[in-house]
Amino acid sequence: MTVDLFAGLPVRDYRAAVAWYERLLGAPPSFLPNDTEAVWELAEHRYLFIEVRPEHAGHAMHTVFVDDFDARLAAIAERGLTPAERETYDNGVRKAIFRDPDGNEIGFGGGPA
């Protein structure tokens, strides 16, 4: 059975959000279903999307666990973004939290260093 995941982030300003997520994710949207949504495919059947929904903007929280944590953070830094917070849990798992212009939280997690 195939399961597709679409994780949504409500935003106020479409253009500002697209530009910010392009910097965070290192690529333009994979597709644009309409003039208020943009979708990035993070991996097969796993998508992150923004949608203009001003009344809900700033309340999303998502974490993407990756196996290239350090390289990914370095690439994001080269594009001019730095985490708002960094955490290391007792088991060594690491997390870097970014906040988009509306305050939505998108984190990247990685295994112990």
Side-chain angles (χ1 to χ4, degrees):
M1 176 172 91
T2 299
V3 176
D4 288 2
L5 173 66
F6 285 82
L9 297 128
V11 299
R12 288 181 182 84
D13 183 323
Y14 179 79
R15 289 179 193 253
V18 168
W20 191 86
Y21 281 95
E22 285 179 347
R23 288 174 64 200
L24 180 72
L25 301 172
S30 302
F31 62 94
L32 305 169
N34 56 54
D35 61 352
T36 64
E37 294 178 79
V39 182
W40 287 263
E41 185 172 16
L42 303 180
E44 187 175 12
H45 304 291
R46 294 166 188 91
Y47 302 89
L48 185 72
F49 74 95
I50 62 165
E51 181 178 0
V52 176
R53 297 183 70 187
E55 67 281 5
H56 298 289
H59 298 284
M61 297 183 337
H62 299 298
T63 300
V64 179
F65 203 87
V66 297
D67 61 359
D68 63 346
F69 182 79
D70 294 315
R72 187 171 303 253
L73 291 186
I76 293 169
E78 288 175 6
R79 295 188 295 271
L81 296 177
T82 57
E85 298 175 40
R86 290 182 81 136
E87 301 173 341
T88 301
Y89 300 103
D90 291 340
N91 63 359
V93 169
R94 299 166 293 157
K95 183 177 179 183
I97 300 169
F98 295 85
R99 290 198 178 78
D100 74 10
D102 289 304
N104 292 307
E105 180 181 300
I106 180 83
F108 289 96

